[in-house]
């Protein structure tokens, strides 16, 4: 399983609250349509005034080929175009990782 992790910074034209509403609303609905997406999780800081980031997104795919195909698709292109409307795409790191779960009591 491959996980794409983006640490997000909103663009200057949106408040943190506007960013979260858009990100977890219409943008999440669109991103959930990515082909091959296995799991999709978002995290928002509990104290955004003291955080340099506005959120973390985790997208899980079976492998890198599935991830690449998802973002090469028409839906993937729409997801990126939509994100660019409220996220500062030049800020925040992007990680491609293989997750190892050592404990999960959920």
């Amino acid at each position: 399983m491959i996980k794409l992790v983006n640490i997000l910074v909103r663009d200057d034209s949106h408040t943190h609250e506007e960013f979260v509403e858009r990100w977890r609303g219409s943008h999440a609905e669109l991103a959930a349509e990515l082909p091959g997406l296995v799991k999709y999780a978002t995290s928002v800081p509990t104290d955004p005034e003291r955080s340099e980031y506005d959120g973390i997104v985790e997208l899980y795919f079976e492998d890198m080929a599935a991830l690449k195909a998802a973002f090469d698709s028409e839906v993937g292109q729409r997801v990126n175009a939509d994100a660019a409307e409220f996220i500062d795409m030049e800020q925040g790191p992007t990680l491609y990782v293989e997750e190892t779960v050592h404990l999960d009591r959920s």
Side-chain angles (χ1 to χ4, degrees):
M1 186 82 58
I2 294 294
K3 178 167 61 169
L4 165 62
V5 180
N6 278 350
I7 301 177
L8 305 177
V9 176
R10 63 184 159 80
D11 72 10
D12 290 336
S13 68
H14 292 81
T15 66
H16 175 75
E17 293 74 20
E18 291 169 338
F19 163 84
V20 171
E21 183 177 330
R22 171 86 179 266
W23 182 41
R24 288 186 160 176
S26 61
H27 184 76
E29 291 171 10
L30 178 59
E33 296 177 16
L34 283 166
L37 184 63
V38 175
K39 181 179 175 182
Y40 175 29
T42 60
S43 301
V44 175
T46 56
D47 188 355
E49 297 300 318
R50 297 185 62 192
S51 178
E52 59 185 292
Y53 302 110
D54 291 282
I56 299 171
V57 63
E58 298 170 284
L59 302 171
Y60 295 74
F61 295 88
E62 287 298 324
D63 52 35
M64 283 300 292
L67 185 153
K68 183 176 179 344
F71 284 98
D72 285 345
S73 72
E74 181 182 324
V75 173
Q77 292 172 18
R78 290 193 342 248
V79 166
N80 281 335
D82 186 64
E85 292 181 9
F86 66 99
I87 296 170
D88 183 339
M89 303 296 274
E90 301 299 317
Q91 297 294 315
T94 298
L95 304 166
Y96 299 94
V97 299
E98 289 187 40
E99 180 178 74
T100 301
V101 177
H102 296 274
L103 176 67
D104 183 354
R105 292 187 176 147
S106 57

